[in-house]
Amino acid sequence: MKRHIGPSTKVIDLQRHTVVPGLIDTHAHAIRGGQTYTFETYWHDEGSLAAALAKLGRDASARPVDQWVAVVGSWHPEQFDEGRGPTRADLDQAVPDHPAYVQYLYDYAQVNSAGVDTLGLDSPDAQLPPGITVERDANGQATGRLLGGIGPFNALFARLSQTADHYKSLKTFFADLNARGVTGFIDPSAGPPETYQPLFLLRDRGELTLRAGYRIPAVTNGGEAEWFRHVMAYRPPRHDDGQIAFLGLGENLVTAMNDGVLMAPGFNPSAAARDELAKVARFAAEQRIPLEIHAYTDDAASAILDAFEEVAREHDLRPLRWSIAHLNTGSDRTLQRMARLGLAYSVQMGPYFETTAIHAANSVDVAASAAPVSAALELGIPVAGGTDSTRIGVAGVWHAIQYHIDGQPLAGVRRQDDNLISRDAALRMYTRTAAWLSFAEDTRGSLEPGKLADLAVLDQPYLTMPAKKIHTLRSLMTFVGGRAVHDSGALSVE
């Protein structure tokens, strides 16, 4: 390369640091989650409940007393020395003057006394989103614990976080991803149309520092095929302007076919729901539209594959790069069906947080084989890596990569050895295959002549460092299209 160096060329001495293609997270709720990134407190790296509560208290001290503080997923009670999550009394002591909200994945949420008062949980006309249930004591008073699901909890938190600066927070979130070597993502379901506006504004102002892909989910319960026909009437099947790519449909294609965060077997959608999915799939196949669909359990995947196989009798699905996401309890039979159809597998790090729940709902063997990555790779299925952040995953990819390599969850059963993969295979899931799932394999995902200079210079040697420390990897410099979007200042530039 020396012959290309001219008087205006910048030369950077990488000091023998490892260089990797820019990381691509193929399943991150980055658009929605990023808009409250600076509003939230994160506990996934805390070892004790006392330290976690102290962190929440520090964040509260920097805010007006009427503003919420919140922890929204990506932690587990068993990660703490105390072996439990926070009670209302714990939150009252740590955050006495602010309403506080702590959500455990999508299982439950706990609020403090100020939160009970702010939400009016002890009044008969408490205004809560449909699907949120208030736990009450023997006297009918709210305990502060709320029960719900994905949709209801997302709707509730959207209300609590209205004071967040969505634009600034999203920009900060993307900068933090850049600092970990991330140069792209696919968001499978950001939410209603207004959710996308801060992303588009970042692009229009020249402040977007990574390549953002997105899919459109159904926002109706019933009649989804007709809804998608309407939404797609003036859209191409996919479109990529180099900064923002539209990549079709995801993750909720038919609400009644979505098994949410179910861990146990027994999901059995109605005939009407199955028929609606077949209609959506047939429309997508006819119009050559890519898609990704959510399936936590093998039963959900089986029902989905019934519909896809029906459509595949008339249309070749292989060129469409359809994928099934999560598949925490996927069976060999399901993988074989996916392979025959030419489907991809988008795998995340859900079991890192959910292995205990998978074990309780199934068996130790099912928990140890959760998210069958190795078996899928052996069948030749393209496996693309995601995180499912920011609620059931840690943003920044390296936690997910470490979990695929060492199999050690935050709590519970370790993955069995035959479901672990090599460092090279794990990196490919978040680079080469991730680019393929983005229809961008010709321009990124590997370090080759003719491809865009999306790359990261790592602060530690990924291939030889202790596996248990992979999650600590950071980028010294990150480039998108040859432009430095992150610079730690550790490398000299001449």
Side-chain angles (χ1 to χ4, degrees):
M1 295 299 295
K2 289 183 178 179
R3 65 188 178 90
H4 297 288
I5 297 175
S8 62
T9 302
K10 292 182 179 180
V11 180
I12 305 171
D13 183 359
L14 300 187
Q15 302 170 18
R16 302 186 66 82
H17 283 95
T18 300
V19 180
V20 298
L23 303 173
I24 305 168
D25 188 334
T26 62
H27 190 105
H29 298 276
I31 300 172
R32 180 195 67 213
Q35 291 179 44
T36 55
Y37 181 63
T38 58
F39 181 87
E40 300 177 40
T41 299
Y42 292 89
W43 279 359
H44 56 75
D45 55 355
E46 297 296 336
S48 72
L49 179 59
L53 290 167
K55 186 176 184 180
L56 188 63
R58 288 193 298 272
D59 286 353
S61 66
R63 299 184 184 182
V65 294
D66 60 343
Q67 190 175 107
W68 285 87
V69 289
V71 179
V72 194
S74 296
W75 64 278
H76 195 286
E78 292 184 28
Q79 81 187 65
F80 299 138
D81 294 338
E82 297 86 345
R84 63 177 180 86
T87 63
R88 177 173 173 174
D90 291 328
L91 293 175
D92 285 346
Q93 182 176 1
V95 190
D97 301 321
H98 297 71
Y101 174 89
V102 176
Q103 182 179 312
Y104 170 53
L105 304 179
Y106 285 107
D107 290 12
Y108 68 83
Q110 179 70 54
V111 299
N112 63 354
S113 295
V116 171
D117 293 340
T118 302
L119 291 173
L121 299 185
D122 281 328
S123 67
D125 57 347
Q127 297 298 306
L128 294 170
I132 296 289
T133 301
V134 180
E135 183 184 83
R136 301 190 181 279
D137 61 21
N139 298 317
Q141 297 297 297
T143 65
R145 177 166 288 207
L146 304 173
L147 305 176
I150 295 175
F153 276 135
N154 286 341
L156 176 59
F157 182 63
R159 292 185 187 178
L160 307 187
S161 59
Q162 288 179 351
T163 59
D165 186 330
H166 291 179
Y167 180 86
K168 183 178 180 180
S169 183
L170 188 62
K171 184 177 178 180
T172 300
F173 179 59
F174 288 168
D176 195 52
L177 292 181
N178 294 149
R180 287 161 170 76
V182 177
T183 59
F185 68 83
I186 302 174
D187 190 317
S189 55
E194 60 270 18
T195 310
Y196 299 85
Q197 297 311 307
L199 173 68
F200 299 153
L201 190 58
L202 275 172
R203 188 263 316 273
D204 294 344
R205 290 180 175 176
E207 297 179 330
L208 187 58
T209 58
L210 36 64
R211 305 185 195 278
Y214 72 95
R215 305 182 193 272
I216 296 177
V219 295
T220 182
N221 187 356
E224 290 88 351
E226 186 58 32
W227 187 86
F228 278 126
R229 288 183 184 277
H230 175 73
V231 168
M232 291 298 298
Y234 297 97
R235 285 180 175 271
R238 57 183 173 86
H239 176 263
D240 189 346
D241 67 9
Q243 291 183 290
I244 296 179
F246 168 62
L247 295 169
L249 317 182
E251 154 185 27
N252 180 52
L253 303 188
V254 172
T255 301
M257 290 291 292
N258 190 322
D259 64 348
V261 290
L262 184 67
M263 306 293 171
F267 181 70
N268 185 22
S270 67
R274 293 167 184 262
D275 182 61
E276 190 66 24
L277 179 60
K279 291 178 182 178
V280 171
R282 184 171 289 105
F283 166 69
E286 289 170 349
Q287 301 299 314
R288 319 308 289 166
I289 302 171
L291 62 79
E292 179 174 273
I293 188 167
H294 171 112
Y296 245 52
T297 62
D298 193 60
D299 289 332
S302 180
I304 289 165
L305 289 168
D306 288 343
F308 285 6
E309 286 169 346
E310 178 183 330
V311 174
R313 296 190 187 102
E314 304 168 9
H315 303 278
D316 183 4
L317 305 184
R318 294 177 184 275
L320 307 183
R321 304 186 190 185
W322 289 6
S323 62
I324 293 180
H326 311 306
L327 202 59
N328 292 343
T329 59
S331 66
D332 289 340
R333 180 174 181 271
T334 289
L335 294 176
Q336 290 163 6
R337 294 173 71 187
M338 291 172 62
R340 284 194 294 269
L341 291 175
L343 302 184
Y345 177 21
S346 172
V347 66
Q348 293 75 51
M349 60 182 300
Y352 177 77
F353 292 99
E354 298 170 327
T355 292
T356 300
I358 295 171
H359 181 187
N362 298 274
S363 67
V364 65
D365 291 338
V366 171
S369 60
V373 174
S374 182
L377 289 171
E378 289 179 6
L379 287 171
I381 295 173
V383 181
T387 60
D388 208 12
S389 59
T390 56
R391 301 291 173 259
I392 309 180
V394 181
V397 172
W398 292 114
H399 274 85
I401 286 179
Q402 178 176 318
Y403 178 59
H404 291 306
I405 293 166
D406 72 3
Q408 185 59 55
L410 197 57
V413 180
R414 179 181 177 272
R415 262 180 167 171
Q416 59 194 25
D417 288 345
D418 62 5
N419 197 28
L420 304 180
I421 59 176
S422 69
R423 298 185 193 213
D424 180 65
L427 186 62
R428 284 173 180 269
M429 287 177 10
Y430 292 86
T431 54
R432 186 183 293 270
T433 312
W436 174 87
L437 195 65
S438 307
F439 290 85
E441 71 275 19
D442 291 336
T443 57
R444 53 195 174 107
S446 59
L447 302 177
E448 298 179 69
K451 290 195 174 183
L452 297 170
D454 290 10
L455 55 92
V457 184
L458 304 183
D459 65 347
Q460 299 170 76
Y462 167 68
L463 292 175
T464 57
M465 67 186 294
K468 66 180 180 180
K469 292 187 176 181
I470 287 174
H471 73 278
T472 68
L473 276 165
R474 296 295 181 269
S475 177
L476 298 176
M477 294 190 76
T478 304
F479 297 84
V480 174
R483 176 172 68 99
V485 294
H486 167 74
D487 186 351
S488 68
L491 301 173
S492 61
V493 180
E494 298 178 0

